[in-house]
Amino acid sequence: QVQLGESGGGLVQPGGSVTLSCAAAGFTFSIYVMSWYRQAPGKERELVATVFTAGTTNYGDSVKGRFSISRDNAKNTVYLQMNSMKPEDTAVYYCYRTPRPYGMTYWGKGTPVTVSS
């Protein structure tokens, strides 16, 4: 059974940093492309960042230069380091297993992040 468990969310001050973790289980983590998405109140879910199996990364335009996605295949975990945070980064952040190389997609339950002073 595929499981994705996010952690690390909470209240962050503007300009601050936080790291989210997503612990994966139930599948061969190292062969899957993994992503982080977020959904702000009243908005559609948007792609934040993607990490490919070799470690290469892609980012949404709104987070480029501030966020960093990484993975530790030995720990079956994907991370999202968020720096220089802004109030508009406030959202629920979701871990996502893409269908690459094959199979279904899966979502974690999400972890909320609030950027406020």
Side-chain angles (χ1 to χ4, degrees), residues 39-85:
Q39 188 165 20
K43 294 188 177 181
E44 294 187 354
R45 196 169 293 191
E46 66 168 341
L47 176 63
V48 175
T50 296
V51 60
F52 296 86
T53 55
T56 54
T57 57
N58 280 341
Y59 297 93
D61 289 341
S62 62
V63 305
K64 282 181 181 177
R66 299 189 298 122
F67 289 12
S68 177
I69 188 172
S70 61
R71 65 191 299 157
D72 185 335
N73 290 336
K75 296 182 178 180
N76 289 352
T77 301
V78 58
Y79 303 96
L80 185 67
Q81 171 72 42
M82 305 188 289
N83 301 318
S84 303
M85 297 196 71

Side-chain angles (χ1 to χ4, degrees), residues 1-54:
Q1 181 181 358
V2 172
Q3 294 182 323
L4 299 172
E6 303 96 334
S7 61
L11 178 63
V12 186
Q13 290 191 341
S17 300
V18 68
T19 299
L20 306 182
S21 300
C22 171
F27 63 101
T28 306
F29 176 79
S30 62
I31 69 171
Y32 277 88
V33 179
M34 300 294 296
S35 294
W36 285 96
Y37 279 75
R38 68 184 182 185
Q39 188 165 20
K43 294 188 177 181
E44 294 187 354
R45 196 169 293 191
E46 66 168 341
L47 176 63
V48 175
T50 296
V51 60
F52 296 86
T53 55

